[in-house]
């Protein structure tokens, strides 16, 4: 990796781009895949516009709860979502920003999608912290769940 602040999941998913987009932008669908099981999310809010809220509560198998509040920075209908936890709705700065994320969807033919999920951190230390938290395993498992749900739509 040449970029010291990014972590990237780059896959071809066996699901159509439109279905993957729905899974990312419809709260009821986001709840079904967004965390690697046995973790799950509750209270998803998706206000699909720049500055609109993107939030949920991550729930662990032992009752852990981690609220995640952020906003959308960029939306390209059907192909790109960019979010950050640096701001709360209303462009209110939040404590210690952890990352911005970018997810892209490109048609790969035959109902498949080239899917790239990028976590961009403010510092190399934050990137290392995220990697040690299990970025590759966790985001990989969530992508598997995303693919299965999208194929079923």
């Amino acid at each position: 990796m040449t970029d010291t602040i990014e972590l990237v999941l780059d896959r071809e998913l066996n699901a159509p781009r439109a279905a993957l987009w729905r899974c990312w932008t419809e709260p009821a669908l986001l709840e079904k895949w967004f965390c690697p099981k046995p973790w799950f999310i509750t209270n998803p809010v998706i206000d699909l516009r720049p500055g609109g809220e993107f939030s949920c509560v991550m729930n662990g198998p032992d009752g852990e709860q981690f609220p995640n509040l952020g906003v959308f920075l960029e939306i390209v209908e059907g192909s790109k979502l960019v979010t950050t936890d640096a701001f709360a709705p209303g462009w209110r700065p939040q404590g210690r920003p952890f990352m911005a994320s970018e997810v892209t969807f490109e048609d790969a033919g035959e109902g498949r999608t080239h899917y790239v999920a990028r976590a961009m951190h403010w510092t190399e230390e934050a990137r290392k912290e995220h990697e040690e938290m299990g970025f590759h395993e966790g985001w990989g498992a969530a992508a598997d769940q995303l693919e299965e749900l999208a194929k079923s739509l």
Side-chain angles (χ1 to χ4, degrees), residues 125-143:
E125 293 73 31
R127 193 252 326 142
K128 286 179 183 174
E129 177 185 342
H130 198 183
E131 195 165 31
E132 290 168 4
M133 288 167 53
F135 168 85
H136 296 290
E137 298 81 6
W139 284 41

Side-chain angles (χ1 to χ4, degrees), residues 6-146:
E6 281 190 5
L7 294 169
V8 179
L9 176 76
D10 186 334
R11 289 199 180 164
E12 192 169 291
L13 300 181
N14 187 23
R17 183 169 55 102
L20 294 166
W21 181 261
R22 284 187 58 203
C23 292
W24 264 98
T25 60
E26 294 178 22
L29 294 176
L30 192 75
E31 285 183 303
K32 295 179 179 184
W33 73 268
F34 196 64
C35 282
K37 295 183 186 331
W39 287 74
F40 62 97
I41 67 163
T42 53
N43 307 324
V45 176
I46 298 173
D47 181 1
L48 204 56
R49 61 185 175 85
E53 183 173 343
F54 181 67
S55 67
C56 65
V57 176
M58 293 187 175
N59 300 273
D62 298 320
E64 308 94 327
Q65 289 195 320
F66 297 98
N68 289 280
L69 177 62
V71 297
F72 287 100
L73 297 174
E74 182 182 7
I75 297 135
V76 178
E77 182 70 30
S79 63
K80 183 178 184 181
L81 295 167
V82 181
T83 64
T84 187
D85 62 356
F87 296 99
W91 300 111
R92 306 292 301 171
Q94 296 200 94
R96 174 185 172 247
F98 186 63
M99 71 175 191
S101 70
E102 176 187 79
V103 181
T104 59
F105 313 83
E106 291 180 30
D107 288 325
E110 299 179 5
R112 299 176 65 80
T113 303
H114 181 211
Y115 173 77
V116 179
R118 178 175 280 110
M120 301 165 287
H121 304 83
W122 268 255
T123 64
E124 187 173 348
E125 293 73 31
R127 193 252 326 142
K128 286 179 183 174
E129 177 185 342
H130 198 183
E131 195 165 31
E132 290 168 4
M133 288 167 53
F135 168 85
H136 296 290
E137 298 81 6
W139 284 41
D144 292 342
Q145 293 165 186
L146 168 62

